[in-house]
């Protein structure tokens, strides 16, 4: 097999929110990049994942001219409910913080970014395989891969961005001993479903119930997104549609007779609840961003927003490094991202522990959790602090 050689300033592995956004931000700063994605375009545009965008993410999409569809179809929310003791306790986000969240699916952001790439002829190579990173310790790292036509390619770069998520190759390409990994696993998972039925409530509902956590969210006026806490070793085949609805109805039940609108389930998947941070987020000319470097439990909707925060910083750092010969922002990239990451990690873990039923907790610990929930909604300063963390830190 012959190997074609190509030159590009930045090779980006992964076309999730991190990789696509980085490529577009680099383009806006005149830095050329190529995105390499192992899946096809259809898969990337249909994958159901994040739903909640913080205001910094929304503002950035608007600032770079990609906010039009989000403005029309995104659902702005000014608060959400914490439901416990079979009652709603509203957290008025906007009243407490002046900010809001926007419900707009991750795959819609992917579609907007992919379309913007197509309009400007920016390269995204879908369906690549055998991606491998080389010479990361030098100023001329390279990425080898096999393209969709089966041709071997050697991409010579000035920097490589590992935006290939938790299961990607980038993080594992670093020499052993470089990374320190911090991990924590919760003893439960989430079953997520997408239902073809209008939301049953105008806002998100996070329900803490003695049978376990449940979440009512949405994607559009016709699509409801719902989650259930399940056992860590549970499997999809144990959750026929009728059982999913029965359990959701039980956990979201209220004293005044709340009922979910039921409908056909379009998607069903299981997500283990775990956290992970790899430090540092760069080595030589490889920069990790998004889920490739950190996972936060999705209870506090932060993962995609963190990925966007990382690449905003990375685009600036790479521009300074490659166009201004200024290595300083690249040198401090990891440290400054990690500050935000640990803050989000702390919040998401605390929110997870507060809302889920821990199978290993004793009655004393359960009482403490209930006290924490009550305090969060009854003290204005506690609610304000919670709301501030939930909507997310502004980008510097
Ligand atoms: P992604 O989205 O995983 O994208 C990585 C891309 O890399 C590709 N890839 C490769 N390509 C080439 N060669 C290889 N060897 C490759 N290996 C992998 C993959 O195919 C993929 O296209 O990572 P990225 O870009 O860092 O984005 C992170 C977000 O996807 C993630 O943090 C969020 O989905 C987390 N998350 C949420 N975040 C929020 O901000 N708000 C939310 O409401 C929210 N809800 C959620 C979530 C995550 C969830 N799950 C499924 C974990 C709800 C759920 C249930
Ligand atoms: C979602 O709609 O997928 C969603 C909403 C809120 C979360 C997590 C996920 O905290």
């Amino acid at each position: 097999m012959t190997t074609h050689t190509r030159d590009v300033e930045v090779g980006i592995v992964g076309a999730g929110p991190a990789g696509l956004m980085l490529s577009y931000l680099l383009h806006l700063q005149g830095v050329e990049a190529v995105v390499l994605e192992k899946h096809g375009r259809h898969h990337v545009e249909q994958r159901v994942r994040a739903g909640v965008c913080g205001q910094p993410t929304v503002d950035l999409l608007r600032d770079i001219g990609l906010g039009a569809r989000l403005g029309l179809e995104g659902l702005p929310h000014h608060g959400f409910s914490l439901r416990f003791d079979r009652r709603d306790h509203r957290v008025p986000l906007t009243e407490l913080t002046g900010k809001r969240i926007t419900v707009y699916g991750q795959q819609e952001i992917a579609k907007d970014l992919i379309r913007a790439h197509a309009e400007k002829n920016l390269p995204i190579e879908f369906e690549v395989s055998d991606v491998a990173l080389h010479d990361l310790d030098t100023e001329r790292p390279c990425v080898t891969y096999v393209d969709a036509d089966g041709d071997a390619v050697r991409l010579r770069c000035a920097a490589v961005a590992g935006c290939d998520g938790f299961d990607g190759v980038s993080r594992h390409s670093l020499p052993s001993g470089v990374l320190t990994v911090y991990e924590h696993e919760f003893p439960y998972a989430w079953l997520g479903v997408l239902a073809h039925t209008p939301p049953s409530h105008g806002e998100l509902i996070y329900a803490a119930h003695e049978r376990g956590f449940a979440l009512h969210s949405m994607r559009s006026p016709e699509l409801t997104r719902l989650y259930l806490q399940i056992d860590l070793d549970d499997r999809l085949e144990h959750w026929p549609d009728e059982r999913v609805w029965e359990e959701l109805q039980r956990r979201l039940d209220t004293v005044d007779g709340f009922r979910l609108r039921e409908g056909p389930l379009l998607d069903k998947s299981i997500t283990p609840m775990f956290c992970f941070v790899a430090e540092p987020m760069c080595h030589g000319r490889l920069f990790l961003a998004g889920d490739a470097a950190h996972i936060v439990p999705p209870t506090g909707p932060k993962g995609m927003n963190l990925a966007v925060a990382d690449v905003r910083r990375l685009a600036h750092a790479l521009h300074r490094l490659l166009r201004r010969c200024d290595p300083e922002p690249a040198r401090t990239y990891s440290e400054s991202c990690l500050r935000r990451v640990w803050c989000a990690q702390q919040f998401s873990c605390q929110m997870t522990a507060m809302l889920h039923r821990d199978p290993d907790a004793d009655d004393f610990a359960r009482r403490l959790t209930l006290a924490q929930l009550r305090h969060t909604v009854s003290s204005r300063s506690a609610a304000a602090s919670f709301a501030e963390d939930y909507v997310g830190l502004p980008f510097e």
Side-chain angles (χ1 to χ4, degrees), residues 9 66 87 91 93 140 167 176-177 217 220 248:
E9 288 180 286
L66 298 185
R87 284 186 171 78
V91 180
L93 292 174
R140 293 302 290 164
D167 295 318
S176 65
S217 178
S220 72
L248 283 164

Side-chain angles (χ1 to χ4, degrees), residues 13-19 36-39 44 47 49-52 106 128 131 163-169 190 225 227 271 289-292 298 301-305 307:
V13 189
L36 306 174
E37 167 59 47
K38 69 176 180 183
H39 288 294
V44 173
R47 195 167 39 192
R49 290 183 81 180
V52 173
Q106 176 169 332
V128 305
V131 171
C163 300
D164 45 355
F166 182 70
D167 295 318
V169 292
W190 273 16
R225 180 79 166 139
Y227 297 97
T271 306
D291 281 13
K302 299 278 175 201
M304 181 182 63
N305 293 294

Side-chain angles (χ1 to χ4, degrees), residues 114-365:
I114 291 171
R115 190 173 309 133
H117 277 72
E119 280 167 11
K120 301 196 172 193
N121 259 327
L122 306 175
I124 304 174
E125 292 216 30
F126 290 104
E127 294 179 50
V128 305
S129 53
D130 297 342
V131 171
L133 314 186
H134 314 269
D135 306 328
L136 298 168
D137 284 324
T138 72
E139 293 193 354
R140 293 302 290 164
C142 79
V143 184
T144 54
Y145 61 98
V146 175
D147 70 14
D149 298 325
D151 291 328
V153 183
R154 181 178 181 81
L155 193 65
R156 293 190 302 198
C157 316
V160 177
C163 300
D164 45 355
F166 182 70
D167 295 318
V169 292
S170 301
R171 191 175 64 252
H172 303 290
S173 307
L174 289 173
S176 65
V178 166
L179 288 181
T180 304
V181 168
Y182 301 90
E183 302 175 273
H184 176 74
E185 199 172 304
F186 290 96
Y188 35 78
W190 273 16
L191 172 72
V193 298
L194 186 68
H196 195 211
T197 184
S200 307
H201 189 72
E203 296 184 333
L204 271 62
I205 307 166
Y206 291 87
H209 190 274
E210 63 198 11
R211 295 178 64 87
F213 170 73
L215 169 59
H216 163 275
S217 178
M218 63 201 70
R219 286 295 178 273
S220 72
E222 296 82 36
L223 288 176
T224 304
R225 180 79 166 139
L226 299 140
Y227 297 97
L228 279 173
Q229 174 186 349
I230 59 171
D231 290 343
L232 200 49
D233 56 359
D234 214 339
R235 299 216 304 267
L236 278 181
E237 54 266 37
H238 299 154
W239 288 92
D241 297 6
E242 314 76 64
R243 183 174 175 216
V244 172
W245 285 116
E246 194 185 317
E247 194 60 30
L248 283 164
Q249 296 287 13
R250 279 165 112 158
R251 296 192 196 176
L252 284 157
D253 174 45
T254 59
V255 283
D256 45 12
F258 174 88
R259 293 292 294 171
L260 282 169
R261 292 192 183 118
E262 298 188 13
L265 297 185
L266 309 176
D267 188 88
K268 212 186 271 179
S269 60
I270 291 181
T271 306
M273 294 289 278
F274 73 101
C275 336
F276 150 91
V277 182
E279 296 192 9
M281 285 171 57
C282 58
H283 175 75
R285 286 285 175 103
L286 172 65
F287 298 84
L288 301 174
D291 281 13
H294 42 72
I295 299 277
V296 296
T299 324
K302 299 278 175 201
M304 181 182 63
N305 293 294
L306 283 177
V308 169
D310 288 352
V311 298
R312 183 179 168 279
R313 204 175 269 285
L314 183 54
H316 170 70
L318 291 175
H319 175 255
R320 300 294 302 186
L321 179 71
L322 304 177
R323 288 300 165 82
R324 301 272 186 274
C325 295
D326 172 11
E328 191 54 18
R331 195 187 62 75
T332 56
Y333 166 72
S334 172
E335 189 189 323
S336 35
C337 288
L338 286 168
R339 226 171 287 141
R340 175 186 291 270
V341 168
W342 279 111
C343 213
Q345 197 70 267
Q346 191 277 333
F347 173 70
S348 295
C349 286
Q350 184 194 325
M351 189 167 167
T352 300
M354 184 169 82
L355 288 164
H356 288 70
R357 184 180 191 281
D358 181 347
D360 305 323
D362 57 19
D363 286 345
F364 187 87

